[in-house]
Amino acid sequence: MALAPEKPRIYEGSRIPSPVPTILAVPPELRESEDILEINFGPNHPSTHGVLRLVIELHGERVVGLRAVVGYLHTGFEKNMEAKSWWKAITYSPRIDYLSFQNNELVFVLGVEKLLGIQVPTKATWMRMCLAELNRIHSHLVWLATAALELGAISMFWYCFRERDQILDLFEMVTGERMHTRYYQVGGLAADIPSGFFPEARKFVDWMPKAVSEYESLVDQNAIWLERTKGLGLLSAEDAIALGQTGPVLRGSGVDWDLRKTQPYLAYDEVEFDVPVYENGDVWDRYKVHMDEMRESTRIVGQCLDRLEEMKEEPWIADDRKVVLPPREELHTSMESLIHHFKIVTEGFRVPEGEVYVPVESPRGELGCYLVSDGGPRPWRVKFRAPSFVALEATATCMSDALVADLIAIVGSLDTVMGEVDR
């Protein structure tokens, strides 16, 4: 099959717009020509990956002006969490990024546990890591399916959702829910791991690398795919760092930075995996980072299963009755346990006064949770560092000297989730 011709690659210097880094301004000489067409791309457009409005200005087919308008999906999650008890606030965090729900749930729970100084059982740590990596694959699959669909690779959508459904089946088997599971609890997990999870997860681990190779066989040698991805949406390493990029966007620009390696949490320092890094900073390299990460996450899941199968009789949640619900079987025989359960659910537990910032490597990059406690049963302040919001800041830089037809591919490659942007 014919290959698309090579295009000019990374640029010299900086392309970050000035004076506002997130707004691509029309040059004055073009503005005076009165040959500028302003159009709205979104917010009701299937290719904006949510309710994102891009106001773009065209000179012919070329994008010469761009600004992003956000806020159409503002839900007030952080303020809602401040009005709930620590125990009830857990359910809000996964809904901020509805594709990376396990990682969002994880970062909030880790923050609360750090304030409490509570020790989490080893089994819970490894299961959290297992589910977080399955969730990473899930998020990348949805990204690949939708991004490919927007470029005309319709078959990719159905293949990706085939594997996505397998992951959701695993979540449902463990937690009872396919999404927004609330399986992570302060102190550990909501319930023990069902024995049927291990053989089904093994089947997935054995199959997933073959599935990724199938995806690549569909598009990697396709001339149209190469034409729509290579050399487009360029973002240099220097500009990526200056704009605060993380995750696949940063690693696709040649910067080797992954919190699982640089600042290990859970048990990431005990597993073997590689961090995919590509140098050219275009749509193609960001796509390749996603593909390689799915393979590496599958490796991590396999190692987690090896360890978890050795811990079948170990506890899955801390034995700290001040913050952990009593075992369900005790509720039928112990009035004290019943009262304790009632008070945690209704009033919540108290967290010592203090503040903490906890970052994790979500599918989109550094997801951070800043928590402040005044010593009461509710958070005094909750603030998330949303990698989608930061990635959106690179839109103007990536769209420099691009055609309107390339807008969909470039914006899609940044992998933003508008629920996380607006919160």
Side-chain angles (χ1 to χ4, degrees), residues 158-177:
W158 306 115
Y159 285 119
C160 289
F161 268 61
R162 175 188 63 188
E163 274 68 59
R164 174 183 182 260
D165 208 55
Q166 293 179 29
I167 295 175
L168 294 181
D169 286 344
L170 292 174
F171 288 155
E172 186 175 19
M173 179 183 293
V174 174
T175 70
E177 301 289 342

Side-chain angles (χ1 to χ4, degrees), residues 258-276:
D258 188 315
L259 291 175
R260 295 172 297 173
K261 286 281 191 181
T262 57
Q263 300 175 23
Y265 56 97
L266 296 179
Y268 280 110
D269 54 345
E270 299 180 42
V271 294
E272 295 181 2
F273 68 100
D274 298 318
V275 178

Side-chain angles (χ1 to χ4, degrees), residues 136 140 246-254 257 276 285-287 289-290 293 361-365 413-415:
R136 189 182 312 278
H140 284 358
T246 55
V249 176
L250 181 65
R251 293 189 286 274
S253 293
W257 181 264
D285 279 9
R286 292 192 278 274
Y287 152 73
V289 170
H290 281 87
E293 281 192 359
E361 187 70 30
S362 88
R364 268 156 286 287
S413 72
L414 298 177
D415 191 13

Side-chain angles (χ1 to χ4, degrees), residues 183-194:
Y183 187 60
Y184 300 156
Q185 303 281 5
V186 175
L189 307 172
D192 199 0
I193 308 164

